[in-house]
């Protein structure tokens, strides 16, 4: 059974940093591109970042987070990461990790439960 | 970026009746090399993550009831629930995965009339 479990969320001050993790199980993690998607309170879904399968050499970011967020993966630990820095109030959201069906041009077939990141002083 | 526009913003339908959701993309999401539309539909119930319903515009995900169907091609797409059940109350999102960024529509909120 595919499972994705996010962790690392929590209250952070504006300008601060946080690293989110997504522990994957139930599939061969290295074979699949992975995604981060966020949802601000009472708002819609916003794609944040993509990392390709394998070594994760290719990464993509939304303009709203480019230069501040870094996606990475550790295939030996079956874990996806999102390093977030220079956080702003508008980054407040539930952050979901999601799995592809293979490459990066893919729909998202499994989602984690999400981790909440409030950015506030 | 491809802009996804959903209509209506909200929808109230009686149980047992048909519910129709529309999604329009600002440019085609049809890949002419494989004749596939890179369009997915997700259902999100309150307090839950999104759940995949439909991919390639019309392929139902395993385990999704057959009252859910998707149609359309190019830039215009439709999700239909043929006979609304109480458990279908949710927000429905379309998403294109043809180009990065993978953009979502703003969602359509479905309620029981």
């Amino acid at each position: 059974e595919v499972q994705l479990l996010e962790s690392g969320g929590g209250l952070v001050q504006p300008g601060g940093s946080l690293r989110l993790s997504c522990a994957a199980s139930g599939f061969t993690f290295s074979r699949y591109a992975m995604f981060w998607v966020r949802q601000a309170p009472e708002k819609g879904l916003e794609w944040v970042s993509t990392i390709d399968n394998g070594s994760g050499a290719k990464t993509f970011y939304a303009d709203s987070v480019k230069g501040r967020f870094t996606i990475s993966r550790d295939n030996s630990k079956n874990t996806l990461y999102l390093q977030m820095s220079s956080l702003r109030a508008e980054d407040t959201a539930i952050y979901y990790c999601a799995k592809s069906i293979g490459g990066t041009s893919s729909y998202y077939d499994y989602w984690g439960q999400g981790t909440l990141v409030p950015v506030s002083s | 970026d491809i802009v996804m526009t959903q209509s209506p913003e909200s929808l109230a339908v009686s149980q047992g009746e048909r519910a129709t959701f529309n999604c329009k993309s600002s440019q085609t999401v049809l890949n002419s090399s494989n004749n596939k539309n890179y369009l997915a539909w997700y259902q999100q119930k309150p307090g839950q993550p999104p759940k995949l319903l439909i991919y390639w515009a019309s392929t139902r995900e395993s385990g999704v009831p057959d009252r859910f169907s998707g149609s359309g091609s190019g830039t215009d797409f439709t999700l239909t629930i043929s006979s609304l059940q109480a458990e279908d109350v949710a927000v429905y999102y379309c998403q294109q995965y043809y180009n990065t960024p993978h953009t979502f529509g703003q969602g359509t909120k479905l309620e029981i009339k």
Side-chain angles (χ1 to χ4, degrees):
Chain A
E1 179 194 3
V2 171
Q3 289 194 337
L4 299 170
L5 183 62
E6 301 95 338
S7 61
L11 180 64
V12 60
Q13 292 188 340
S17 299
L18 208 59
R19 188 178 81 160
L20 306 183
S21 299
C22 170
S25 61
F27 63 103
T28 306
F29 179 69
S30 62
R31 291 185 182 173
Y32 297 87
M34 298 292 294
F35 310 100
W36 286 101
V37 176
R38 69 184 180 183
Q39 186 168 36
E42 305 303 317
K43 298 294 185 183
L45 302 170
E46 179 189 15
W47 169 81
V48 172
S49 185
T50 298
I51 188 166
D52 68 350
N53 50 358
S55 65
K58 290 186 181 177
T59 58
F60 306 90
Y61 299 93
D63 286 345
S64 57
V65 307
K66 200 173 294 182
R68 300 186 299 122
F69 289 13
T70 301
I71 190 172
S72 62
R73 65 192 301 158
D74 185 335
N75 292 332
S76 68
K77 295 182 178 179
N78 291 340
T79 302
L80 174 72
Y81 300 101
L82 186 67
Q83 177 69 46
M84 305 186 294
S85 61
S86 302
L87 283 160
R88 307 166 180 166
E90 55 265 37
D91 296 317
T92 294
I94 297 173
Y95 285 75
Y96 298 102
C97 64
K99 172 188 166 291
S100 77
I101 60 163
T104 57
S105 292
S106 164
Y107 51 89
Y108 304 3
D109 60 352
Y110 289 92
W111 297 64
Q113 288 297 311
T115 186
L116 178 62
V117 178
V119 181
S120 175
S121 54
Chain B
D1 297 1
I2 298 177
V3 176
M4 307 300 290
T5 303
Q6 291 185 241
S7 62
E9 289 189 4
S10 63
L11 189 57
V13 175
S14 300
Q15 205 160 337
E17 296 299 305
R18 178 184 300 259
T20 302
F21 307 81
N22 301 301
C23 175
K24 188 174 183 67
S25 57
S26 61
Q27 60 191 79
T28 187
V29 298
L30 173 62
N31 186 333
S32 56
S33 66
N34 59 12
N35 203 36
K36 288 185 174 181
N37 287 284
Y38 285 54
L39 189 285
W41 289 95
Y42 301 88
Q43 175 193 64
Q44 188 177 31
K45 296 182 178 180
Q48 295 186 18
K51 172 189 172 185
L52 175 68
L53 295 177
I54 301 285
Y55 55 94
W56 303 129
S58 60
T59 302
R60 196 180 308 114
E61 172 71 335
S62 175
V64 173
D66 61 6
R67 64 180 181 273
F68 290 89
S69 63
S71 63
S73 184
T75 61
D76 291 278
F77 301 91
T78 301
L79 172 69
T80 302
I81 307 175
S82 60
S83 177
L84 187 68
Q85 304 300 305
E87 62 263 31
D88 299 335
V89 168
V91 179
Y92 292 82
Y93 294 94
C94 63
Q95 179 210 27
Q96 66 80 20
Y97 47 97
Y98 183 76
N99 273 349
T100 295
H102 293 176
T103 41
F104 294 87
Q106 78 276 25
T108 294
K109 185 175 184 178
L110 176 64
E111 297 173 327
I112 300 286
K113 188 187 291 183

